[in-house]
Amino acid sequence: MVKKLKRLVGNAALLLGFLLTGNCSGQNQPVDALPPTRTNTPSSKAMSTHLTAENLVRDIVDHPAFTGFGDKLLPWDDNSPYYATRLAKVGSLMPYHGHVRPEVVLSAVNHLIDEASGGKTIFYDFYSAQQKQQDASKQQTGLFFYRGTPGAPFAIVCPGGGFSYVGSLHEGFPLAQQISSSNLNAFVIRYRIGSEQSATEDLAAAIAYIFRNAEKLGVSTRDYSLWGGSAGARMAGNIALSGVAAFGGGSLPKPATAVIAYTGQSTYSAAFPPTFITVAANDGIASVKTVERRVESLKAAGVEVVYRRYLTAGHGFGTGKGTDAEGWMEEAIRFWKKHIKN
């Protein structure tokens, strides 16, 4: 009985040694000789994981590539009611937009994931922490960056959404991705909703931020371009008409070109930059007659205008993929490049 008890005690001591050393041979092993713990491997893998149509809206917010600003990719100030929506139905988040194609949205979002996993900064605050403290609504703002050739001019893309949401997923990121693939730099602005005035002030502040930080960002400030759809086109049109300083951005040049898609804004002047305008004949929100009166007024004022009217693309067609407006982006990029001085 005593021998049996000693064996049990000995086995228990041996087991305790296994647990303390992690050494199944029962021999002592220096701690620094153990295989290294690679705590960064799971997070690195998660950082580069692409999203698919089967993922949920919540997965954009929670993705490691978007830590700290994931909600700003989404349209609303509060997107929680949509968190359980599959990305296959991402168009349901943007009621004023048509022809939202999940594969186009996912390509543009996954591009940002690739950039972030490669160590590049993809999101910039253009308001300071103090400015955000003074005005809590500015917490929702920022710039997403799609890099082109270093030192090339930049565009700012202003998505629409009736100033009730910001449709970057459909009308911002995919456009910026296409611009960057043409070797130009593109930013997508997340602006304050609720007011055309405050949204345009955000655009002016973003232009000023890029000018101040152009060297750090790796962009040229010459011959920049403003792009907008619907409400976002109003923001671009406001700067094209009145300039950056009129909205608090300081004494900076107007854009070299404006690209304006499907908006009923009618303002114009002889000081407008060269402008590319597009709309669809069956647009149920922006009046085609108003758009065409503006085109004619700009031309009569001596402004260079390229106008493209499509038949069935509807309102908020984004890049136009899968509609009769497909290809308009290529034309608009060529128009901008024509006005970039070497």
Side-chain angles (χ1 to χ4, degrees), residues 133-168:
Q133 282 183 338
Q134 292 171 345
D135 184 347
S137 68
K138 291 179 179 177
Q139 297 283 351
Q140 295 295 329
T141 63
L143 285 169
F144 291 89
F145 190 14
Y146 283 74
R147 289 170 172 81
T149 300
F154 71 89
I156 300 180
V157 181
C158 308
F163 298 113
S164 60
Y165 67 86
V166 183
S168 302

Side-chain angles (χ1 to χ4, degrees), residues 217-232:
L217 294 166
V219 303
S220 169
T221 57
R222 75 182 192 278
D223 302 322
Y224 74 97
S225 185
L226 295 182
W227 295 53
S230 196

Side-chain angles (χ1 to χ4, degrees), residues 5-251:
L5 182 59
K6 286 182 177 179
R7 282 199 304 272
L8 289 172
V9 171
N11 289 341
L14 184 61
L15 177 60
L16 181 61
F18 291 167
L19 294 172
L20 291 173
T21 66
N23 179 11
C24 292
S25 69
Q27 298 176 357
N28 291 330
Q29 183 179 8
V31 172
D32 59 6
L34 292 173
T37 302
R38 302 177 68 178
T39 55
N40 64 325
T41 302
S43 60
S44 296
K45 183 177 180 180
M47 175 76 81
S48 62
T49 300
H50 279 189
L51 296 168
T52 73
E54 292 304 305
N55 281 104
L56 305 178
V57 169
R58 178 188 296 111
D59 297 326
I60 293 180
V61 179
D62 294 340
H63 198 286
F66 306 138
T67 299
F69 54 84
D71 59 322
K72 294 181 178 66
L73 281 82
L74 303 179
W76 304 88
D77 281 353
D78 178 11
N79 297 279
S80 57
Y82 297 97
Y83 279 1
T85 303
R86 294 207 177 275
L87 293 179
K89 296 184 178 180
V90 68
S92 65
L93 277 69
M94 296 169 281
Y96 298 152
H97 290 87
H99 304 285
V100 179
R101 298 176 69 95
E103 73 275 15
V104 173
V105 171
L106 287 164
S107 174
V109 171
N110 287 331
H111 178 99
L112 289 176
I113 290 173
D114 290 342
E115 292 281 279
S117 65
K120 295 177 180 176
T121 302
I122 58 173
F123 180 78
Y124 295 87
D125 284 305
F126 56 82
Y127 285 124
S128 68
Q130 183 179 7
Q131 287 172 312
K132 289 184 173 185
Q133 282 183 338
Q134 292 171 345
D135 184 347
S137 68
K138 291 179 179 177
Q139 297 283 351
Q140 295 295 329
T141 63
L143 285 169
F144 291 89
F145 190 14
Y146 283 74
R147 289 170 172 81
T149 300
F154 71 89
I156 300 180
V157 181
C158 308
F163 298 113
S164 60
Y165 67 86
V166 183
S168 302
L169 290 171
H170 169 64
E171 204 170 68
F173 304 144
L175 276 69
Q177 183 185 28
Q178 192 162 341
I179 292 169
S180 71
S181 70
S182 298
N183 301 319
L184 297 162
N185 295 294
F187 296 89
V188 179
I189 184 170
R190 194 5 166 128
Y191 54 86
R192 286 173 288 171
I193 62 174
S195 162
E196 181 176 339
Q197 177 69 26
S198 63
T200 308
E201 289 171 1
D202 291 344
L203 177 56
I207 295 168
Y209 174 85
I210 296 169
F211 268 73
R212 288 195 308 271
N213 296 280
E215 185 175 352
K216 180 181 76 173
L217 294 166
V219 303
S220 169
T221 57
R222 75 182 192 278
D223 302 322
Y224 74 97
S225 185
L226 295 182
W227 295 53
S230 196
R234 287 180 174 271
M235 296 161 58
N238 289 339
I239 300 293
L241 178 72
S242 302
V244 182
F247 295 92
S251 182

Side-chain angles (χ1 to χ4, degrees), residues 273-312:
T275 304
F276 185 102
I277 296 179
T278 185
V279 72
N282 67 334
D283 192 315
I285 295 178
S287 165
V288 177
K289 289 183 178 179
T290 301
V291 172
E292 294 186 340
R293 279 198 301 270
R294 189 188 205 185
V295 168
E296 294 308 313
S297 296
L298 285 167
K299 288 180 176 179
V303 177
E304 180 183 353
V305 178
V306 170
Y307 173 54
R308 294 291 178 265
R309 170 177 168 167
Y310 302 101
L311 296 177
T312 60

